[in-house]
Amino acid sequence: MSDPIIEVSNATKTFGGLTAVNRVSFSVSRGEIFGIAGPNGSGKSTLFNLMTGIPYGPTDGEVRFNGERIDGRPPHAIARSGLCRTFQKDAEFPDLSAIETLQISAVYNGGRHGGQALEKAHRVIELVQFDQSRARMPSSELSVYEKKQLMIASALISEPSVIMLDEPASGLTKPEIERLDALLIDVNKSGITILLIEHVLSLLLSVSQRLLVLNQGEILAEGLPADVVRNPAVAEAYLGGRD
Ligand SMILES: Nc1ncnc2c1ncn2[C@@H]1O[C@H](COP(=O)(O)OP(=O)(O)OP(=O)(O)O)[C@@H](O)[C@H]1O
Ligand SMILES: [Mg+2]
């Protein structure tokens, strides 16, 4: 692999008797959009958790970022070193505006204060193409898509080299998913590597350069998206796993 930015080897996470992620190994190249798919409960979010240390590291195995081991490091140290994530559940501060939310993120995630935090907030607002005229209203009044933009902006506030997005398309309409598609491409073109967990396969297949499919905590398939979706085992896992 040319210039890996992330290398995960034999990552494992157990919860009592349950192995949620079982000896998973893969690498992500610098500058790539790397997609992660898999049925519900296949271990996708757990994989992000153990990689970022939020809220836990792996039970076993190694995670390297820029060649250095990060498993076992405190979550804030991992984030500040340039590996930032969003969460599957939207968790906005309903009374705060987008600008205020991002200023807080800039203080906590980026170590910035006052004018510097405001400057950062404006920079990421622009990067995610958030409507400036809506940046000062309470977040509770924002649309679902605007909340997603805000979530991605928060992940970008500390100028990370990698962002990890956990199902950002959930709850979006088809036209909004197309906007998100274009946004992810733009963010990636600005030099940011993206790891993307997504159930919306049209989005995942459109933006990902490579795809990893998990099933019951293990890697079921990995490779070029077009090849992975043709893999009969992948179709079987999805159809078998559907509610
Ligand atoms: N904190 C926890 N304690 C116990 N079991 C957990 C915990 N977190 C996750 N699990 C279990 O680990 C497995 C993987 O869960 P995970 O949330 O990683 O799946 P997922 O692929 O993200 O699913 P989804 O697509 O529904 O978001 C599931 O069986 C889940 O119930
Ligand atoms: Mg999940």
Side-chain angles (χ1 to χ4, degrees):
M1 153 133 349
S2 63
D3 197 12
I5 190 162
I6 286 177
E7 296 154 283
V8 174
S9 351
N10 289 317
T12 297
K13 179 70 194 175
T14 56
F15 298 107
L18 175 86
T19 304
V21 172
N22 192 11
R23 298 178 65 84
V24 165
S25 302
F26 65 96
S27 299
V28 179
S29 295
R30 195 176 305 277
E32 189 170 35
I33 300 183
F34 186 85
I36 300 171
N40 295 120
S42 56
K44 305 179 297 296
S45 297
T46 304
L47 181 62
F48 272 16
N49 294 347
L50 69 85
M51 290 172 68
T52 54
I54 311 171
Y56 44 69
T59 312
D60 203 2
E62 292 183 4
V63 182
R64 286 177 194 271
F65 177 49
N66 283 318
E68 285 181 32
R69 271 188 82 167
I70 57 166
D71 51 279
R73 286 193 194 170
H76 67 268
I78 295 175
R80 288 202 179 168
S81 71
L83 186 64
C84 290
R85 72 173 295 184
T86 63
F87 292 90
Q88 196 166 344
K89 248 179 141 37
D90 299 348
E92 78 274 1
F93 301 107
D95 299 333
L96 298 186
S97 69
I99 283 286
E100 288 165 336
T101 304
L102 292 168
Q103 280 177 280
I104 291 175
S105 297
V107 171
Y108 285 97
N109 297 338
R112 307 290 173 151
H113 297 277
Q116 263 192 337
L118 185 60
E119 198 182 298
K120 290 272 169 213
H122 280 294
R123 199 188 67 84
V124 290
I125 280 272
E126 222 165 276
L127 192 55
V128 301
Q129 296 142 35
F130 192 95
D131 182 348
Q132 299 274 1
S133 70
R134 296 175 60 79
R136 294 200 175 272
M137 61 175 60
S139 294
S140 56
E141 290 175 28
L142 298 177
S143 72
V144 177
Y145 184 76
E146 286 169 327
K147 287 177 186 171
K148 303 287 184 175
Q149 283 176 298
L150 180 54
M151 181 180 80
I152 295 170
S154 298
L156 291 170
I157 199 87
S158 58
E159 297 180 32
S161 44
V162 177
I163 56 169
M164 301 170 54
L165 307 176
D166 194 347
E167 296 193 31
S170 67
L172 296 182
T173 62
K174 199 159 178 281
E176 287 170 338
I177 291 171
E178 280 162 19
R179 282 182 75 189
L180 179 64
D181 184 314
L183 174 59
L184 296 181
I185 300 285
D186 276 354
V187 168
N188 179 243
K189 278 195 182 139
S190 79
I192 296 167
T193 304
I194 299 178
L195 272 69
L196 174 66
I197 294 176
E198 195 45 78
H199 274 297
V200 177
L201 282 181
S202 59
L203 175 65
L204 200 62
L205 296 176
S206 159
V207 301
S208 305
Q209 278 127 46
R210 282 186 309 133
L211 205 57
L212 178 80
V213 182
L214 292 179
N215 191 35
Q216 298 183 0
E218 297 184 359
I219 294 181
L220 182 67
E222 186 188 356
L224 297 175
D227 295 337
V228 167
V229 290
R230 276 201 293 266
N231 184 331
V234 171
E236 168 64 21
Y238 265 90
L239 296 173
R242 269 282 139 81
D243 303 328

